Amino acid sequence: MDIKIDKLNWKILEKLQANARESFANIGRSIGLTAPAVGERVKKMEDLGIITGYHAKVSHSHTGHQLKAIITLRAFMGKLKPFLAIVDSFDEVVNCYRITGNENIVMEVVLKDQFHLEKFIDKLIQYGETRTNIVLSQVISNAPMNPVRKLE
C-alpha cells in the first residue's frame, strides 16, 4: 500500500519523532497549523498505520543490564517455527528480526552480565547455531524516518 504523505504531515512526523510528547499546539505553531488541525492529521496517520505507537527510550545500562548484544540464529531443520513461537517470552530480547541469508534470526538483547549471556545462549542452542556480537557503543539510535528521495 503506497500512502502519500504530504509536506505538512512530514513536518508533524519530524516533530513527533524528535519528541513524541510534544503538544499539538507547539507542533502547530512551528508549522503553521492549529492544534486541532495537527490532532486531526495525527489521528489520520495513526488510523492509516503510518504512526504505529509512542515509546519511552529506556537506558539498558541504568536498569542493571550491563551488556547489549546482537545474536544471530541459524535454525536447525524444523526448529524455526518453535523458536518463533517462544521468542517473545524471552525477557532479554528487545528486538527480533526474521531475515534472509545464512542466518534466520537477528536479535538485539540486553543482559545483566557475561554469566547471563552464557545462560541465554544455552537456552538458544536447542533451536540452532548462534553467533554473538557484543555491542560496544550505539552509533545511531532510532534515526527519524524522512521522505524518500529520488536517487540521481
Side-chain angles (χ1 to χ4, degrees):
M1 181 160 147
D2 189 21
I3 300 170
K4 299 289 185 205
I5 304 172
D6 69 17
K7 288 181 181 182
L8 283 174
N9 281 355
W10 273 115
K11 288 179 181 180
I12 292 168
L13 289 172
E14 179 183 317
K15 298 292 184 185
L16 289 174
Q17 288 178 99
N19 179 5
R21 295 181 64 170
E22 188 69 66
S23 72
F24 292 164
N26 283 344
I27 292 171
R29 273 192 291 280
S30 70
I31 66 171
L33 289 177
T34 65
V38 171
E40 190 175 303
R41 284 172 170 266
V42 168
K43 175 74 170 109
K44 185 168 184 172
M45 287 190 284
E46 290 170 345
D47 291 345
L48 290 171
I50 295 167
I51 296 174
T52 59
Y54 302 88
H55 309 279
K57 294 180 186 178
V58 178
S59 168
H60 71 278
S61 61
H62 286 88
T63 59
H65 300 89
Q66 297 306 310
L67 282 180
K68 182 181 266 191
I70 305 298
I71 299 177
T72 59
L73 176 79
R74 184 178 186 180
F76 296 140
M77 185 70 70
K79 292 292 187 173
L80 182 59
K81 284 187 180 183
F83 174 80
L84 293 172
I86 197 167
V87 68
D88 65 344
S89 71
F90 297 149
D91 292 337
E92 297 88 351
V93 178
V94 293
N95 286 299
C96 181
Y97 305 96
R98 187 170 176 188
I99 61 167
T100 61
N102 288 333
E103 285 83 17
N104 307 97
I105 299 292
V106 173
M107 293 172 279
E108 180 181 351
V109 300
V110 293
L111 308 128
K112 287 178 255 175
D113 52 32
Q114 72 270 21
F115 304 109
H116 187 184
L117 173 61
E118 182 179 21
K119 288 178 184 171
F120 184 64
I121 290 171
D122 287 346
K123 279 199 285 191
L124 295 177
I125 59 175
Q126 66 182 304
Y127 298 101
E129 180 183 322
T130 64
R131 183 172 294 145
T132 302
N133 297 281
I134 303 296
V135 174
L136 299 176
S137 64
Q138 195 159 18
V139 179
I140 297 175
S141 173
N142 298 308
M145 296 289 301
N146 293 302
V148 177
R149 292 187 170 80
K150 293 180 182 174
L151 298 177
E152 297 182 48

